[in-house]
């Protein structure tokens, strides 16, 4: 008879409480599947007396997560504290050093310290599992680490932040501004009081860095990601995208190019026929393109206590079966150095929205500047704004008019150079809007 | 140093040739990931001299797959022969009895003999892996067996046959008949000369039976599936579906109901907002609904040599790492008996297309028959057919007119009873068309 697998859970927030409920409901089945009894034996959190909707009094209590991590009474340390530094970091290291398996949902910790922690886990012969860290309930880590073992990945891209996707979906469906949708998301609990981490793309960047490391076998480098959030997106952009056959999503994209691995997080124009263009609301989705499998798409809940607990338990079940996988799908020593492809060398199509002063020759000057940079245009849309009620029938010559350009494939450097010259020429007001287009493979 | 993992491959068709190419291209990386050298050492096929586009002369040759299965020189028997009986069946049994791990892409074999083979594998302590058997390159087996270990599945449904999805997509996009699209699919190699296995739903049923066994932990029972193919679907149905906000897909559906597990394969009306309604062409997709994760959707290539080889290698990599998972996600002894819910007790909405004789009282009689069975109607669409060029301005009273009914949730038994009475009343010509609606959870 194999001894039971004893779990110590640090952090009893939403995910921790869901994990306790899940093990209560499915523990027997989980044990039958794994061939080994799986049980929570100890927990740690800040406030022992808080009502969490589940009974945790039956578990040994630790005020100090590090003491729990080192306890001789546990086999697996489940870290649900969060944060790249502080208690989570110290406790995970302590657990690995003590030869405990670690399961974590902590994307920030992995993005910043993943390489070191992987080497530490490997040196102790234990697992460091983190299915919940990249896309909540979507099993993308297992698919990349295991299912795609026989593939070279060429591109991975996804909607990895439910807050941003909720906001963009509302803006599109209801024609509301970013600010109005953000306020609603905050009211509904889909966005934090300080939404920076989500709406400015950092959460997506953390998740992307983890996916990149596994997909391409390169050392994790969260600092090498080009990051741009969704605050600049207007309803004008969303409407123009719709008319041109696109939808706007905040994507994390990693792709192999000649100069290295390109990692970027930014609002993206996706053709409506793209397999993830219609993923709406808080749902997340990841598409992987690889040489043998072609294209796989996974969609599901990117957050939430129950969905996250489902992924945490998947990691625990792997440990119960005795399956030790390299943290990023391969031995830490086999991870290649990350070679960054700069955003300047990014090649692709671009959507540009310019506020052009309506005077003779302006459009000619703009298109000439594009041509000088070797940029070909797929479409130009110029529409006069409807005159305001108290304005004359025709807008004043100097009132800027929106002009939308879609380029064929070019590079970031060329687009930036063209826009700089167009700005200098004085034909446009405001900062031009530029959204990268992510085409189907 | 761990000894290398030696593969014997039986069957060198499209998938076998892709597998050889994959191991040539990614063998070193695969070995690095698995911590163990993975190599093909022996092969078996009918014709040794056939040009397969890959060099197989470097491998030991076996004319007899059973001899290969029993060879002391292999650790894993990879069965790519196909068919529920005959050589594939005998060789897989021989391999398991000889204590070899088995990897197979053979859905028919598993659908018909899965339970026995699982018990045999378990008794020998070896793996029986079959990622490629249910949805080609989509890693649905791993997701069900491992990622969802902490969930109770409530429903699983999917587009599991690329031939049918290709035909339905062409019918919809081009307004062509089933026969015309089938002929095209045959010309393009998407359908066999005898298309029965695909278009009549049997291929989907085999795959569904495998998914059901894992999802619900019940003994596999391919004979208990209600199966209906797509031959009866007309462009009139597809157009009506579109107008009513649906798309028609051939689905395999398994769901837990009060009376047991319901398994059915039939053309299905999916709301356009369903996550798999827009999966077109030969692409496959599976949606799983479960208590903790909510809903996951996986989409990708359901067939093709390279995509199938990708899944075969995923199974091999698991064996190389030493991960032994219960064949259907749990020990064979823990599989519950399959309790069949009959199609008569199926509850849901229905689309009905009737050819109604255009005479006073016909519609009243029909709706009365529906009401007698307690069936409420969500919508009724009656449109006169455009008169033929050589016909009078109004159709003859007895020329039947199409009437489309959408019911609210009811049962198969009630719908069948109502249709029988409507037929007996003599108000309709032809056999009524009936398509089940699969609503979102």
């Amino acid at each position: 008879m194999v001894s039971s697998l004893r779990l110590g859970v640090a952090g009893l927030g939403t995910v921790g409480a869901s994990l306790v409920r899940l093990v209560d409901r499915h523990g027997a089945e989980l044990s039958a599947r794994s061939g080994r009894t799986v049980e929570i034996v100890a927990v740690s959190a800040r406030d022992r007396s808080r009502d969490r909707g589940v009974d945790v009094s039956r578990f040994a209590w630790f005020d100090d997560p590090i003491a729990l991590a080192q306890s001789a009474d546990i086999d697996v340390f489940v870290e649900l504290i969060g944060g790249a530094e502080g208690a989570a970091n110290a406790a995970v290291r302590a657990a690995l050093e003590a030869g405990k398996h670690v399961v974590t949902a902590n994307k920030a910790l992995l993005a910043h310290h993943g390489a070191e922690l992987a080497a530490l886990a490997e040196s102790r012969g234990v697992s460091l599992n983190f299915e919940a860290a990249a896309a909540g309930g979507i099993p993308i880590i297992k698919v990349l680490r295991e299912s795609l073992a026989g593939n070279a990945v060429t591109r991975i891209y996804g909607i990895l932040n439910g807050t941003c996707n909720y906001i963009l979906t509302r803006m599109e469906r209801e024609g509301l501004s970013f600010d109005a949708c953000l306020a609603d998301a905050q009211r509904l609990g889909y966005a934090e009081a300080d939404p920076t981490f989500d709406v400015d793309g950092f959460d997506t960047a953390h998740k992307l860095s983890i996916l990149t490391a596994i997909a391409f076998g390169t050392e994790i480098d969260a600092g090498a990601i080009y990051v741009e959030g969704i605050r600049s997106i207007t309803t004008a952009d969303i409407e123009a995208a719709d008319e041109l056959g696109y939808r706007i999503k905040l994507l994390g994209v990693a792709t192999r190019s000649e100069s290295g691995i390109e990692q970027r997080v930014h609002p993206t124009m996706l053709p409506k026929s793209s397999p993830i263009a219609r993923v709406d609301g808080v749902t997340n989705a990841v598409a992987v393109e690889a040489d043998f499998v072609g294209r796989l798409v996974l969609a599901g809940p990117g957050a939430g206590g129950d969905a996250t607990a489902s992924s945490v338990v998947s990691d625990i079940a792997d440990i119960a079966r005795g399956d030790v996988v390299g943290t990023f799908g391969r031995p830490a020593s086999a991870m290649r150095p990350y070679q960054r492809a700069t955003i300047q060398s990014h090649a692709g199509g671009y959507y540009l929205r310019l506020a052009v002063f309506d005077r003779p020759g302006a459009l000619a000057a703009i298109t000439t500047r594009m041509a000088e940079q070797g940029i070909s245009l797929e479409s130009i849309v110029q529409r006069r704004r409807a005159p305001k009620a108290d304005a004359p029938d025709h807008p004043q010559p100097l009132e800027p008019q929106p002009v939308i350009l879609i380029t064929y494939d070019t590079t970031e450097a060329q687009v930036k150079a063209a826009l700089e010259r167009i700005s200098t020429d004085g034909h446009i007001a405001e900062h031009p809007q530029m959204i990268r287009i992510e085409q189907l493979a």
Side-chain angles (χ1 to χ4, degrees), chain A:
Chain A
M1 182 60 199
V2 188
S3 61
S4 80
L5 187 77
R6 301 161 304 166
L7 314 176
V9 180
L12 291 172
T14 317
V15 179
S18 282
L19 177 62
V20 172
R21 259 204 319 279
L22 192 161
V23 175
D24 280 348
R25 196 190 298 173
H26 296 310
E29 172 82 6
L30 181 63
S31 302
R33 291 176 80 125
S34 315
R36 188 173 178 186
T37 301
V38 176
E39 54 177 344
I40 298 171
V41 297
V43 295
S44 170
R46 271 197 222 144
D47 179 0
R48 189 165 187 171
S49 60
R50 196 179 130 203
D51 178 10
R52 299 178 166 88
V54 288
D55 169 28
V56 297
S57 69
R58 59 203 150 134
F59 309 127
W61 181 270
F62 287 76
D63 285 319
D64 176 10
I66 297 177
L68 172 59
Q70 295 170 325
S71 163
D73 294 333
I74 70 162
D75 305 300
V76 181
F77 179 67
V78 181
E79 186 272 303
L80 304 173
I81 301 167
E85 312 300 336
N89 187 326
V92 164
R93 277 171 208 275
L96 294 174
E97 272 160 12
K100 314 286 183 193
H101 300 288
V102 169
V103 171
T104 177
N106 190 333
K107 53 196 172 267
L109 177 68
L110 287 158
H112 292 289
H113 305 291
E116 276 169 82
L117 295 173
L120 179 56
E122 195 177 309
S123 73
R124 298 301 194 275
V126 294
S127 289
L128 171 56
N129 286 351
F130 48 90
E131 185 62 87
I138 303 175
I140 184 64
I141 302 296
K142 184 174 274 286
V143 167
L144 286 175
R145 289 211 306 197
E146 303 173 25
S147 301
L148 297 183
N151 286 266
V153 173
T154 48
R155 178 167 64 160
I156 181 164
Y157 55 103
I159 297 167
L160 299 170
N161 183 278
T163 307
C164 289
N165 209 42
Y166 173 84
I167 290 172
L168 291 171
T169 303
R170 289 282 310 269
M171 287 177 73
E172 183 178 271
R173 287 196 188 150
E174 297 167 51
L176 298 172
S177 71
F178 169 82
D179 290 329
C181 294
L182 172 60
D184 258 14
Q186 286 170 321
R187 202 172 40 75
L188 293 163
Y190 293 150
E192 307 283 335
D194 175 1
T196 302
F197 192 65
D198 290 317
V199 303
D200 292 328
F202 302 114
D203 174 70
T204 299
H206 280 163
K207 293 165 171 174
L208 179 64
S209 71
I210 296 169
L211 299 181
T212 302
I214 306 176
F216 298 102
T218 55
E219 285 165 4
I220 200 162
D221 191 349
I225 301 180
Y226 174 84
V227 183
E228 192 186 308
I230 62 168
R231 290 186 201 260
S232 74
I233 302 299
T234 66
T235 50
D237 295 320
I238 287 177
E239 283 163 21
D242 182 51
E243 282 172 36
L244 293 161
Y246 294 92
R247 299 190 73 189
I248 299 176
K249 297 290 183 186
L250 183 76
L251 288 199
V253 184
T255 177
R256 191 191 293 279
S257 75
E258 278 176 31
S259 60
I261 307 286
E262 189 177 299
Q263 288 186 88
R264 33 193 180 85
V265 173
H266 52 70
T268 307
M269 306 267 286
L270 276 175
K272 285 178 182 173
S273 58
S274 166
I276 65 170
R278 293 177 196 275
V279 170
D280 283 335
V282 296
T283 302
N284 284 15
V286 187
V288 190
E289 290 159 5
D291 59 349
F292 275 81
V293 81
R295 185 170 58 212
L296 283 184
V297 179
L298 284 80
D306 282 0
T308 307
S310 167
S311 284
V312 167
V313 167
S314 161
D315 284 343
I316 293 167
D318 287 350
I319 293 167
R321 282 200 320 280
D323 186 25
V324 177
V325 189
T327 302
F328 293 102
R330 45 181 68 67
S333 58
M335 303 290 281
R336 290 179 286 273
Y338 176 76
Q339 188 169 359
R340 177 178 187 168
T342 68
I343 191 74
Q344 289 303 314
S345 66
H346 167 67
Y350 286 79
Y351 157 100
L352 305 171
R353 178 171 51 77
L354 311 177
V356 179
F357 291 117
D358 195 14
R359 55 194 173 200
L363 212 56
I366 288 166
T367 51
T368 300
R369 289 306 192 190
M370 304 295 280
E372 282 170 9
Q373 292 297 322
I375 300 169
S376 301
L377 297 176
E378 186 185 303
S379 49
I380 304 182
V381 181
Q382 182 181 25
R383 246 187 317 258
R384 281 177 191 277
R385 272 190 199 143
K388 291 179 190 131
D390 59 353
D393 266 10
H394 292 283
Q396 296 299 313
L398 280 178
E399 190 178 323
Q401 298 293 312
V403 172
I404 285 158
L405 310 174
I406 300 277
T407 78
Y408 281 110
D409 275 9
T410 175
T411 67
E412 183 99 0
Q414 287 168 298
V415 171
K416 286 278 175 67
L419 288 178
E420 205 178 299
R421 274 168 209 155
I422 290 164
S423 285
T424 309
D425 290 345
H427 292 300
I428 61 172
E430 307 165 21
H431 189 69
Q433 172 70 294
M434 181 190 93
I435 303 177
R436 295 167 197 87
I437 297 170
E438 197 70 25
Q439 292 294 356
L440 286 168

